[in-house]
Every structure is written in C-alpha cells, then in structure tokens.
Amino acid sequence: MTEWWWAYLALGAFVGFFSGLLGIGGGSATVPVLAFIFAAKGFVPDHVVHLALGTGIASILFTSAASVRSHHLRKAVNWRVLRQMAPGVVLGTFGGALLAGYLDVRLLSLAFTLLIYYFAWHMLRSNTLEPSGVLPSAMALSAFGAVIGFIASLSATGGASIVVPFLARRNVSIHEAIGTAAAVGWPVAAAGAAGYVLSGLHTSGLPQYSVGYVYLPALAGLVIAGVLTAPVGASVAHRTPGKTLKTVFAGILFALATTMLIKFL
C-alpha cells in the first residue's frame, strides 16, 4: 500500500499547484499517472481506469476547496455564475459517473480533444477587452453546467478547460474566470465522487482500501500535497498579468489535447 506514496504526493503537488494557478482539476494528468501506478501494482486490468477516474475526481473535492478559498479571498469568484450552473453540473456529473461503464469513452474523449483545441486557439487569438459581465440566462448556464459535468465525469477534470474559455469569451476577466472555474470544480467533484463510489460498491475484484472506485491510499497522498500547493498556485495567478495567464492556459490546453489525441489514436 505504501510503496507508491512518493508518486501520489508528487502528483498531488503538481495538480494542486495548477489547480490554484489555472483553476484546472488536473484529471488529464492525474488519470493516466494513476492508471499506470495501479497497473504496476497489479490491480485487475478491467478496474484500473475506473479506479483512476474515481480517485482523480474525488481528489478535486479537496484541491478545489483550497484553491477556491484563495481565489475568494482575492474576490475572484463569481458566485452568481456558480449558483446558476450548479444544478446542471451536479446532474450532468452524477449521471456521467453512473453511465461511465456503458459509454464509448474513447469516442467522447476524441470529441473532447477537438473541443479543447478550439478553445485554446480562440484564447490565443482573442483580443483583450474589458470585462463586461455579459452572460447567458440562468437556464442556459445550468444547461451548460450539465454538459460540463457530463464531460468532467468522464475525464476526472473540474471542467476548467471549458469553463475558463467560455467565461473569457464573454469578457469576464481571466482571473475571475479561473477563480469561478475552480469553484465549479467542487460540485463536479462531489457529484462525480458519489457516482463512482456508488457504481463500484458491488464490484468484485477491487483492491483493499477501496470505497467503490475510489482508492483511499492514493486519494490521501493526492490530497495532502494538493491542499498545500493549491494556495501557492492561486497566489502566483494573482501576481501574473491576465494576458500571460491566457497564453499559459492556452499552451497547457494545446499540450493536454495533443497528449489525449496521441493516446487515443
């Protein structure tokens, strides 16, 4: 159980920092690494990906909370947007987690990759306008939240790779977009973790110390390191110019999308 503790801590520190810096849940990095570790530990192959997804999304519960607190203290979370998106986010995430075992995740991941390329390209080419706060209706935001939640549940992310560009396109400042995306990550993680726990409760062959598809030793390592580094990332974000953050965020999106594309092709 303990031979991989250093890998869990290192991964948690990396994901926590970028959760604070860019509002991302980190699933694009967490899931492949956890899947590799779980396979190396000899877990049942059919359960490796589900355990990585469940554990990864459960860790966002804690890193997101630490990140949101830091952004909130800097008045960079739009709570009205979060309240309007939350119902859809919870429904979409919970439903996606329950259906994960029955869906063609490969096809969905390819579609998601193309969407990320589009958002990254748009962020690089968009000009810098002053925030105007022009946003869709509450119903439209809730529907958008359902789509975010569904995609996030199948990739163990907090949805920031879509939420941040979406808000930035509507001239919300990049700092507020990142803070709000980090806040959206919490209901995503809560509903997703619940879904993966429930869907794996009666599954045979899961490793000891698992609760459904959440592997507790890995979760502990991710959380301990991630909660410590998320506030550091948030602090760096608020000392960084918005244009620089947009460029960094777009670059990371391109890298993650390319990694996913190579993996699935």
Side-chain angles (χ1 to χ4, degrees), residues 5 17 64 83 110 124 150 163 171 191 213 220 224 230 240 252 255:
W5 62 268
F17 178 80
S64 174
R83 286 193 300 270
L110 288 173
L124 284 177
F150 186 77
V163 174
N171 298 321
Y213 286 121
I224 290 170
T240 305
I252 288 178

Side-chain angles (χ1 to χ4, degrees), residues 46-128:
D46 289 345
H47 301 328
V48 163
V49 173
H50 285 86
L51 281 166
L53 285 167
T55 306
I57 204 164
S59 71
I60 299 172
L61 271 170
F62 303 91
T63 55
S64 174
S67 174
V68 170
R69 181 179 181 276
S70 297
H71 286 293
H72 173 69
L73 292 175
R74 295 170 174 84
K75 303 186 186 304
V77 179
N78 190 322
W79 293 104
R80 181 178 67 86
V81 170
L82 176 64
R83 286 193 300 270
Q84 292 175 345
M85 289 180 62
V89 165
V90 171
L91 183 64
T93 307
F94 189 70
L98 290 178
L99 292 172
Y102 305 98
L103 297 174
D104 186 348
V105 179
R106 177 171 175 163
L107 181 60
L108 288 172
S109 297
L110 288 173
F112 179 62
T113 298
L114 296 177
L115 189 63
I116 296 306
Y117 272 129
Y118 168 76
F119 281 130
W121 170 77
H122 185 84
M123 288 195 76
L124 284 177
R125 67 182 289 272
S126 62
N127 51 19
T128 54

